[in-house]
Amino acid sequence: MDTREAYLFYEAGQAVAAAHLRLRIWRVSGNPTAAPTHIVIPRNNPKARLILWLAGMAAERKGAGHSHPLRRTRNRARVRSLLDATIDGLPGSRARRIAARRVMLSRAQDRANALCNQLYPAIEAVAARLRTGETLTGPDIAAAVDAVKHPARR
């Protein structure tokens, strides 16, 4: 699969995770130069930010079979810097803070992988709509997630 396809799955994974976490989604686009994706993440919620980045990478790996090396490197640096900033404010010894960092990353990774597995049909649906050049809004993403979570409501 090409890099564009991988990018679409990355964006779709982040969008579906954001809808599941009930974050505000202004728009999701497969073309960042025309209309960049805009998801509002509260500053005081580093775990949501981690889950979005990790869910995007998990969806990209699952949908495209691999993740783009540059995006993977950039996200690893983002995750590392966010975790470092978060643990700096925690009380306790350095060893306790490092252990808390490891636990936070592990839990966020587990949550992102679980979201990707449970809501993968929604990720595929969003990626398919992005592939057509469509720009999606929050209600569009929420509808795709709802269709997977509550199939009887359709």
Side-chain angles (χ1 to χ4, degrees):
M1 252 184 218
D2 65 355
T3 24
R4 173 154 169 67
E5 191 70 14
Y7 177 74
L8 295 177
F9 274 100
Y10 177 80
E11 289 294 319
Q14 281 195 331
V16 167
H20 178 76
L21 296 172
R22 299 194 193 308
L23 298 175
R24 174 176 268 165
I25 302 170
W26 288 104
R27 72 177 164 268
V28 177
S29 169
N31 183 355
T33 57
T37 296
H38 185 187
I39 299 171
V40 179
I41 307 166
R43 287 187 186 273
N44 62 350
N45 195 348
K47 192 171 182 180
R49 193 175 301 271
L50 282 174
I51 291 169
L52 286 188
W53 289 332
L54 296 170
M57 290 193 315
E60 183 179 9
R61 269 192 315 276
K62 189 168 184 166
H66 61 85
S67 59
H68 189 272
L70 179 59
R71 193 168 21 260
R72 186 175 55 238
T73 302
R74 195 170 39 232
N75 279 326
R76 282 183 183 157
R78 287 176 180 159
V79 166
R80 199 172 306 122
S81 116
L82 181 65
L83 286 171
D84 289 344
T86 302
I87 67 160
D88 282 345
L90 296 177
S93 67
R94 178 168 164 68
R96 279 188 192 261
R97 290 195 315 261
I98 289 173
R101 177 187 195 271
R102 200 172 302 122
V103 167
M104 181 185 272
L105 177 59
S106 176
R107 287 182 180 168
Q109 184 70 63
D110 289 347
R111 182 83 187 274
N113 288 337
L115 284 173
C116 184
N117 288 329
Q118 292 168 357
L119 300 174
Y120 190 69
I123 293 170
E124 285 181 316
V126 170
R129 288 182 67 184
L130 291 175
R131 199 174 293 117
T132 65
E134 195 175 347
T135 297
L136 305 175
T137 61
D140 298 330
I141 307 295
V145 171
D146 260 2
V148 172
K149 283 178 156 180
H150 312 288
R153 289 185 189 172
R154 293 179 84 186

